[in-house]
Amino acid sequence: MKKLTLRHLLAAGTVGALTTLTACSGLTPSSDGGAAAELDPDAEVSITVGDYPTADKPEERAAFDAQLDAFREANPNITIEPSTEVWDAQTFQAKLAGGTLPTVMGVSLTYSHELIADGQLPDMTPYLEELGLIDDLNPLALANVQDEEGRIYTIPTGLFSVGLAYNRDIFEQAGLDPDSPPTTWEEVREAARTISEEVPDVAGYAQMTTNNTGGWMLTTMTYSMGGRIQDDAGTEAVMGDETTQALQLLHDMRWEDDSMGDQFLYDQDAARQAFAADDIGILLQAPDIYKPIVQDYEFDPADLGVTELPQANGVNGTLTGGTLKLFDVQATPNQLLAAAKWIQFYEFDKYYDEDIAIDRAEADAAAGNPVGIPGLPPVSPEVDEQYIGWIDPLIDVPRDQFQGYIDSELELIGEPPTSTQETYAALDPVVQKILTDENADIEQEIADANDVIDGIIAQAAR
């Protein structure tokens, strides 16, 4: 398993300008002698792209439409149509099997190894080579989308690590210092207890428990305490003392401190809504919580704080993940090249062209989208720093309230490698059990969950 800090991750990135493929440049056949040899960059081709904002978000849709128009102007042979299809853990596999997904769309990075092993992703290596995109992708993220021979099957974007979101106003109401958020799990427990005692009708701390988020966050807590859910190779479940400690902490906060409120069936969206409604003081989140709670749920940006993940048993690290761009395995070579060009245009060009960077930031600002949310960039730190400098006058996100996250040097730990979402789903009921049954046997729950996950791993190996 990769063991890199944010600083190492960023330092491992490569620097280089994107090579823009023009219609007149032509393509050289890839060394694979296969798909790339069939490419014709001038051919008329049609593709669909997912993640198109829905009609109830007219400003975001207008900004997306502007990018579509610019892409069409630069690539007149490509007919590109948007789709409002977005990744949903509950329906994704059925839609993938049914072949109803767009040519390219964003999907959780957790599916990468599984989809590669199952042959459900096309080999994108020749297309990315022709676009000159490979050298600009972050090596750690790239490692998550390759097979043992180094072939690349997706493009990783939207990288993140899990941190701690907290309501600065609630902290002040409870007599806590919002500029000194908790750094250990014991401090989280104490802050949650104080909030629940001092601020009526507010859960000091809340835990996500449904739609695979219970397992996701239990994995994050286990990492922060020095443990793992699966071994590094993904060949067996290895939950032990650290997972026991995580569940015992949740049990004690729920049953001894009464600091977790009375809602124990949160998925991510429900938890964010409750956080935005000032019902929750502390919640495990990445900085991307900013956009939905501010834009969709009218949360006051001045009240949001995000810091690094609390630790126990020393300094151990935090879970990292992101989004992969899923390409349709049934698409033709020319469609795959066109889809890759769209991702290059939409996700990466802004890092290398000041005019594009400013235009995109201005468009985001005009659409009401936040500008400058902290995160893990898909490019090198030098390139990202240059990009931030270009858009600095347009940044409207209070990045100083994310300083504990930005400055973090925690080790970044990848998600469980085998059947990640199934593993998370298997852990959801374990977390729910601890929060709804005071007499739950934690060690037995973990032993049973290890058996279930071993079965999932065995099934994946067949």
Side-chain angles (χ1 to χ4, degrees):
M1 181 175 292
K2 299 288 185 182
K3 296 182 177 179
L4 298 175
T5 66
L6 170 59
R7 178 168 296 176
H8 292 147
L9 168 66
L10 299 179
T14 56
V15 182
L18 287 177
T19 302
T20 301
L21 181 69
T22 62
C24 62
S25 66
L27 286 170
T28 56
S30 170
S31 58
D32 72 353
E38 305 171 21
L39 289 175
D40 177 3
D42 297 323
E44 298 289 332
V45 64
S46 297
I47 61 172
T48 54
V49 296
D51 306 305
Y52 185 50
T54 51
D56 61 339
K57 299 177 180 177
E59 295 85 3
E60 289 186 52
R61 174 170 281 199
F64 199 100
D65 283 337
Q67 296 308 314
L68 288 171
D69 290 343
F71 182 79
R72 290 177 180 123
E73 183 176 358
N75 302 276
N77 63 308
I78 299 175
T79 299
I80 183 170
E81 296 296 336
S83 165
T84 55
E85 188 71 49
V86 297
W87 171 66
D88 182 324
Q90 303 305 312
T91 61
F92 170 67
Q93 291 290 359
K95 290 182 177 179
L96 179 65
T100 61
L101 297 176
T103 314
V104 63
M105 63 178 286
V107 172
S108 171
L109 193 60
T110 58
Y111 288 103
S112 181
H113 295 292
E114 176 184 345
L115 296 178
I116 292 172
D118 292 344
Q120 293 176 292
L121 294 175
D123 179 4
M124 293 299 295
T125 311
Y127 311 103
L128 303 185
E129 286 177 342
E130 293 293 352
L131 293 174
L133 191 53
I134 295 175
D135 288 344
D136 299 291
L137 301 178
N138 190 292
L140 178 59
L142 200 57
N144 285 311
V145 298
Q146 293 176 293
D147 63 13
E148 293 179 353
E149 285 72 41
R151 290 187 292 265
I152 302 168
Y153 292 82
T154 74
I155 300 176
T157 61
L159 305 175
F160 71 87
S161 64
V162 178
L164 193 75
Y166 60 99
N167 186 312
R168 294 174 61 87
D169 180 58
I170 288 175
F171 263 52
E172 290 181 343
Q173 292 182 53
L176 301 171
D177 182 358
D179 294 324
S180 297
T183 60
T184 67
W185 280 109
E186 189 55 39
E187 291 177 359
V188 170
R189 181 179 180 180
E190 182 60 33
R193 186 161 47 204
T194 299
I195 290 170
S196 66
E197 291 173 351
E198 300 297 329
V199 187
D201 302 322
V202 172
Y205 175 86
Q207 187 83 358
M208 295 187 290
T209 59
T210 66
N211 291 337
N212 305 357
T213 63
W216 183 34
M217 290 299 102
L218 180 60
T219 300
T220 299
M221 293 181 70
T222 298
Y223 285 3
S224 74
M225 296 176 179
R228 297 291 186 272
I229 303 300
Q230 298 177 4
D231 66 352
D232 288 355
T235 58
E236 65 175 328
V238 295
M239 286 183 289
D241 292 344
E242 296 83 4
T243 308
T244 299
Q245 184 180 356
L247 291 173
Q248 187 67 53
L249 173 65
L250 293 175
H251 173 278
D252 294 347
M253 293 171 72
R254 162 70 174 96
W255 297 105
E256 293 184 8
D257 301 347
D258 192 21
S259 62
M260 297 184 65
D262 54 8
Q263 170 56 271
F264 308 108
L265 292 175
Y266 285 120
D267 63 9
Q268 178 148 268
D269 185 59
R272 286 175 168 179
Q273 288 189 53
F275 185 92
D278 295 330
D279 291 335
I280 295 172
I282 304 171
L283 182 68
L284 291 181
Q285 285 286 295
D288 64 354
I289 187 179
Y290 183 92
K291 181 177 179 180
I293 65 171
V294 171
Q295 194 169 52
D296 298 339
Y297 307 132
E298 300 181 346
F299 186 76
D300 186 346
D303 291 342
L304 177 62
V306 179
T307 190
E308 67 177 0
L309 183 70
Q311 303 288 292
N313 311 319
V315 178
N316 298 296
T318 184
L319 181 146
T320 187
T323 299
L324 65 83
K325 296 303 180 183
L326 175 81
F327 295 90
D328 182 5
V329 72
Q330 299 181 41
T332 67
N334 286 332
Q335 285 178 312
L336 292 176
L337 177 63
K341 290 178 73 173
W342 162 252
I343 297 303
Q344 182 185 42
F345 170 84
Y346 190 71
E347 300 282 354
F348 288 90
D349 279 1
K350 65 183 181 182
Y351 289 103
Y352 297 96
D353 187 303
E354 183 175 1
D355 291 338
I356 292 176
I358 292 174
D359 286 347
R360 298 273 180 90
E362 288 179 340
D364 279 336
N369 292 322
V371 177
I373 297 176
L376 307 184
V379 293
S380 73
E382 294 84 359
V383 173
D384 185 61
E385 184 177 353
Q386 174 181 259
Y387 164 71
I388 292 296
W390 287 338
I391 67 169
D392 182 66
L394 297 165
I395 290 176
D396 56 8
V397 173
R399 289 171 65 94
D400 59 316
Q401 294 169 204
F402 295 72
Q403 207 60 50
Y405 182 90
I406 295 172
D407 292 341
S408 178
E409 296 186 353
L410 290 176
E411 176 186 315
L412 300 173
I413 307 169
E415 296 178 277
T418 300
S419 300
T420 310
Q421 291 296 332
E422 288 85 347
T423 295
Y424 289 161
L427 293 174
D428 275 4
V430 176
V431 181
Q432 293 167 15
K433 176 81 170 178
I434 300 307
L435 295 178
T436 57
D437 181 354
E438 183 175 6
N439 298 313
D441 185 333
I442 293 176
E443 292 190 356
Q444 187 60 53
E445 291 291 331
I446 292 175
D448 292 345
N450 271 330
D451 289 342
V452 171
I453 294 172
D454 279 337
I456 292 171
I457 292 171
Q459 181 67 33
R462 292 173 185 166

